[in-house]
């Protein structure tokens, strides 16, 4: 028997780590078993937050650096999108005891903006304190990947975004930050998702089912 309880699961990792693929796999499996599950993403997830996503991701394509957002503008936009998402989708769904799967969440802000760009952690923590409410992940899957494999996966994509052009060194740095964050608490599950097998999706599914029992 499964208990009816809210569950907030986030997926984190660099581009090409296969997290969006794994989210969808888990979503489909839980849906098939008739669990009340929703799949969402950050930045985005609601109409307003998706509009902010477009603004953020478009910004990178400005050739002249002077026209690009400053790191605090960028961070505030991610946080603004998060506020919309948490208030209008994540928390209402958790209140209805749904399972919420989210492709990226707060750890992406720590890995990319705080560690990657040098935005002050206290700044992000302060805003989170005011906007998250009950939106605290119960489980976070961090998908690790060999850099050469991540780049292969990125190159196969039709749609590119701002980070798709960053160097291998940048991705390596961000991945190391993710791993550092993930080693701090028990709710993190670090999985190597370099191989294109169904091993990762099985581990993820079993972990979630165990939590629901
Ligand atoms: P993705 O959803 O296709 O993975 O891409 C979204 C991009 O946004 C990705 O490059 C990581 C970036 N991002 C941040 O830099 N900070 C954040 O807080 C979030 C949620 C995403």
């Amino acid at each position: 028997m499964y208990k009816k309880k809210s569950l907030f699961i986030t997926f984190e990792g660099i581009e090409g780590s296969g997290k969006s693929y794994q989210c969808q796999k888990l979503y489909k499996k839980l849906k098939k078993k008739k669990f009340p599950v929703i799949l969402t993403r950050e930045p985005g997830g609601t109409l307003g937050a998706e509009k902010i996503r477009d603004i953020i991701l478009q910004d990178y394509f400005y050739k002249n650096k002077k026209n690009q957002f400053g790191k605090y503008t960028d961070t505030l936009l991610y946080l603004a999108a998060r506020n919309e998402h948490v208030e209008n989708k994540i928390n209402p769904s958790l209140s209805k005891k749904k399972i919420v799967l989210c492709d990226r969440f707060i750890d992406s802000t720590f890995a990319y903006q705080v560690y990657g760009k040098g935005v002050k952690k206290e700044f992000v923590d302060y805003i989170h304190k005011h906007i998250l409410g009950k939106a605290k992940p119960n489980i976070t899957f961090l998908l690790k990947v060999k850099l050469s494999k991540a780049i292969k996966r990125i190159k196969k994509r039709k749609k590119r975004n701002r980070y798709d052009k960053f160097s291998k060194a940048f991705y390596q740095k961000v991945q190391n930050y993710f791993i550092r964050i993930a080693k701090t608490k028990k709710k993190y599950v670090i999985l190597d998702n370099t191989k294109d097998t169904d091993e990762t999706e099985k581990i993820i599914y079993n972990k979630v089912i165990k939590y629901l029992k």
Side-chain angles (χ1 to χ4, degrees), residues 2-212:
Y2 297 105
K3 292 184 200 114
K4 191 166 164 53
K5 56 181 176 187
S6 66
L7 178 55
F8 185 24
I9 304 172
T10 57
F11 287 78
E12 300 277 10
I14 58 167
E15 287 71 3
S17 61
K19 62 179 174 44
S20 305
Y21 176 84
Q22 291 299 337
C23 279
Q24 276 170 24
K25 282 280 173 186
L26 179 63
Y27 174 73
K28 281 184 191 153
K29 283 184 183 174
L30 293 174
K31 194 94 190 147
K32 214 170 156 190
K33 292 263 180 199
K34 306 260 185 294
F35 282 107
V37 59
I38 66 157
L39 173 60
T40 189
R41 69 170 179 183
E42 285 220 349
T46 65
L47 194 72
E50 288 289 335
K51 281 192 209 161
I52 300 171
R53 177 189 177 94
D54 288 343
I55 295 171
I56 300 171
L57 299 186
Q58 189 56 41
D59 182 62
Y60 177 73
F61 293 98
Y62 287 121
K63 291 271 181 310
N64 187 343
K65 264 218 168 326
K66 269 197 212 148
N67 291 330
Q68 286 176 15
F69 291 139
K71 63 183 180 189
Y72 278 88
T73 310
D74 183 61
T75 304
L76 284 164
L77 286 170
Y78 280 112
L79 294 169
R82 181 159 304 140
N83 187 45
E84 283 298 301
H85 191 208
V86 164
E87 203 172 292
N88 297 314
K89 192 168 185 179
I90 297 178
N91 281 344
S93 303
L94 293 175
S95 294
K96 286 182 201 147
K97 295 205 170 8
K98 290 195 177 177
I99 301 170
V100 178
L101 310 183
C102 193
D103 185 347
R104 293 195 186 280
F105 197 55
I106 55 174
D107 295 324
S108 284
T109 314
F110 291 118
Y112 288 93
Q113 279 69 47
V114 174
Y115 297 121
K117 291 192 170 171
V119 165
K120 284 254 176 291
K121 184 172 181 295
E122 306 86 83
F123 177 82
V124 175
D125 283 341
Y126 180 80
I127 295 175
H128 278 160
K129 214 172 96 191
H130 291 271
I131 67 172
L132 293 185
K134 68 173 80 151
K136 309 265 163 53
N138 303 99
I139 310 173
T140 297
F141 292 104
L142 169 62
L143 301 186
K144 274 195 323 186
V145 63
K146 269 214 182 88
L147 265 285
S148 51
K149 181 68 182 187
I151 288 162
K152 261 191 206 155
R153 285 183 182 145
I154 292 167
K155 281 191 177 151
K156 271 195 197 158
R157 286 185 196 162
K158 285 190 196 95
K159 220 174 152 190
R160 313 198 122 210
N161 77 44
R162 67 193 322 214
Y163 289 105
D164 290 348
K165 288 184 181 170
F166 281 7
S167 69
K168 214 168 155 177
F170 175 81
Y171 286 126
Q172 188 64 67
K173 207 169 87 168
V174 174
Q175 175 152 281
N176 290 343
Y177 292 140
F178 271 126
I179 294 169
R180 200 195 289 174
I181 296 168
K183 282 188 174 160
T184 60
K185 286 191 187 121
K186 260 182 75 185
K187 65 164 184 148
Y188 290 97
V189 182
I190 306 176
L191 298 169
D192 191 326
N193 194 38
T194 304
K195 288 192 187 137
D196 292 320
T197 62
D198 57 8
E199 193 58 27
T200 311
E201 61 179 271
K202 279 186 190 155
I203 298 171
I204 292 174
Y205 181 70
N206 290 338
K207 171 90 188 169
V208 172
I209 288 296
K210 208 170 140 195
Y211 195 96
L212 288 164

